[in-house]
Amino acid sequence: MKKIFVTRPYFPPKEDYKSYIDQIWDVQQLTNHGPLHNELEKEIKSYLCVENFHFVTNGTLALQIALRALDVTSGEVITTPFSYVATVSSILWERCTPVFVDINPKTFCIDVDKIEAAITDNTKAIMGVHVFGYPCAVEGIEALAKKYNLKVIYDGAHAFGCRYKEKSLLDYGDIAISSFHATKVFHTIEGGGMISRGAEMKRKIGLLRSFGHIGDEHFELGINAKSSEMQAAMGLCNLKKFEEIVAARRKICELYDEILPMEKIQRPEMPENLEYNYGYYPVAFKDEVACLKVMDVLNQNNIFPRRYFYPSLNTLPYVEQVACPISDSLSKRILCLPLYHDLEEETVRQIAALISEALGAA
Ligand code: T4K
């Protein structure tokens, strides 16, 4: 029996990918900002309508470079406990201290009304996560950042293709990053993107991702976050199909909306002015028992949703543990249901029926 996972990467037509591979063989450049890499950067920059766009190795390094680029190399960074571990690991890896602020129970993003109380003389930045592609309270966060002179980094790992208030959701904050990992709605196998503003930021991120030097001239400490031509080729293929992929995922989400027992399920609030990318389909249940029961029933039928995101990051063994009751509760009772471009209608109906059955709603 076929296994159904939470996601399945999009594979572009092989001929399309092959034509790029032929170009790589002709040009004989594999990495270090080759022609396909540069073409992809140009295309994404224009697709997102942003000032600066850098293609990097993955979303995690993008977060680390964002902290460095904004000179956040010590002190406290206010962040959310409800995310993938990479959000907090990047802060710790850069030797900063994460300070968790609980989430808004409706949006699942950091609660802007609780941020001010967490700001101290040591606070350097706010790192919000547009979790599942739903926007943080960007205006409120910007106002706080201005008031206390803080940097704002958005982890938009899930937000590629989301538009909020008529512009890319990745065009908010001092720097936003995205992940182009194979499991993402747009992917380059492994990869990430950094969105910033101004010539100085463009220069700085360019240097940081590439050892800090140009030719024989060394400017500052850098790291290797470059991407290969193979990854760029995958990105170029997938970008052409992006609207099609989003449309297919939208149809699946609409079907879930229609047939799931919504009276027993909580979904994040879809804000006005959001054009969504349909990257994830999170569903929260009344408690952990219900969540695990649903998971068990689905697993018995070879269907594997994921506990995105569990555990709540404020409970990790290597962070200072603070109470974030809303995130703690949500993490224990949320699942992301299978969602990908060619998930069959019949499977979506089967998933919904099994969930109804598990919840006693059938
Ligand atoms: N910030 C946030 C908020 C993030 O969510 C992430 C990453 C990051 C930062 C960091 O970005 P990157 O450094 O990764 O660019 C996955 C991804 O590895 C990770 O990118 C992602 N978020 C996270 C939410 O999910 P896992 O451990 O759940 O992946 P895995 O391998 O279990 O894949 C899920 C399912 O997808 C599998 O059960 C089967 C299917 N799959 C997966 C792959 C890789 C395939 O069918 N084929 C494949 O090639 O982490």
Side-chain angles (χ1 to χ4, degrees), residues 22-299:
D22 289 344
Q23 288 179 47
I24 298 171
W25 256 245
D26 287 346
V27 176
Q28 297 275 292
Q29 182 161 0
L30 287 167
T31 185
N32 287 5
H33 311 142
L36 298 181
H37 172 282
N38 296 341
E39 190 182 331
L40 180 66
E41 276 197 338
K42 214 165 119 201
E43 287 204 11
I44 293 182
K45 177 174 171 319
S46 125
Y47 170 72
L48 296 175
C49 290
V50 291
E51 202 180 322
N52 300 331
F53 175 78
H54 288 89
F55 179 38
V56 294
T57 316
N58 57 54
T60 308
L61 273 170
L63 286 171
Q64 290 175 219
I65 291 176
L67 288 162
R68 293 267 172 156
L70 295 168
D71 287 324
V72 183
T73 52
S74 65
E76 295 169 4
V77 178
I78 291 178
T79 192
T80 173
F82 187 69
S83 183
Y84 186 60
V85 67
T87 307
V88 69
S89 68
S90 66
I91 296 171
L92 288 162
W93 205 268
E94 291 303 323
R95 303 205 176 274
C96 295
T97 307
V99 172
F100 294 106
V101 166
D102 211 348
I103 54 169
N104 176 311
K106 290 190 177 147
T107 65
F108 302 173
C109 293
I110 192 165
D111 189 341
V112 66
D113 295 332
K114 292 184 180 148
I115 291 178
E116 195 159 17
I119 296 174
T120 69
D121 290 347
N122 244 335
T123 309
K124 299 285 166 38
I126 302 171
M127 187 185 282
V129 178
H130 301 305
V131 74
F132 306 131
Y134 293 92
C136 292
V138 288
E139 282 103 354
I141 290 176
E142 192 182 330
L144 284 171
K146 274 211 175 105
K147 186 170 166 189
Y148 292 97
N149 193 24
L150 304 176
K151 306 291 187 200
V152 178
I153 297 167
Y154 282 116
D155 178 343
H158 311 157
F160 187 84
C162 289
R163 287 173 61 80
Y164 185 53
K165 300 197 173 168
E166 320 254 299
K167 65 172 188 172
S168 168
L169 183 51
L170 298 172
D171 201 14
Y172 292 89
D174 293 300
I175 298 181
I177 73 92
S178 199
S179 166
F180 303 153
H181 181 259
T183 54
K184 298 294 187 292
V185 64
F186 165 75
H187 79 85
T188 58
I189 308 174
E190 289 273 0
M194 299 184 67
I195 291 85
S196 67
R197 271 176 230 100
E200 176 49 22
M201 233 353 109
K202 181 175 177 185
R203 188 195 73 89
K204 184 135 189 159
I205 294 173
L207 279 172
L208 286 174
R209 76 161 170 193
S210 192
F211 302 109
H213 75 97
I214 301 172
D216 289 339
E217 237 187 312
H218 289 253
F219 297 93
E220 57 186 291
L221 178 68
I223 199 163
N224 181 2
K226 294 177 277 93
S227 286
S228 76
E229 290 293 272
M230 271 68 177
Q231 289 162 298
M234 182 60 83
L236 287 164
C237 293
N238 290 348
L239 198 58
K240 282 189 226 154
K241 298 281 179 182
F242 186 65
E243 298 299 336
E244 232 176 86
I245 295 166
V246 171
R249 297 172 76 110
R250 179 186 179 143
K251 266 181 84 177
I252 293 159
C253 291
E254 285 171 353
L255 183 57
Y256 272 134
D257 288 345
E258 206 183 295
I259 62 179
L260 280 169
M262 286 303 178
E263 68 288 356
K264 302 211 171 198
I265 279 170
Q266 184 199 352
R267 297 259 303 131
E269 208 170 69
M270 176 76 89
E272 270 178 42
N273 304 318
L274 174 69
E275 287 168 51
Y276 190 46
N277 66 2
Y278 300 90
Y280 291 85
Y281 197 93
V283 286
F285 304 95
K286 106 171 167 325
D287 54 26
E288 191 172 21
V289 174
C291 178
L292 294 180
K293 187 168 177 202
V294 167
M295 185 132 124
D296 185 44
V297 168
L298 291 174
N299 288 176

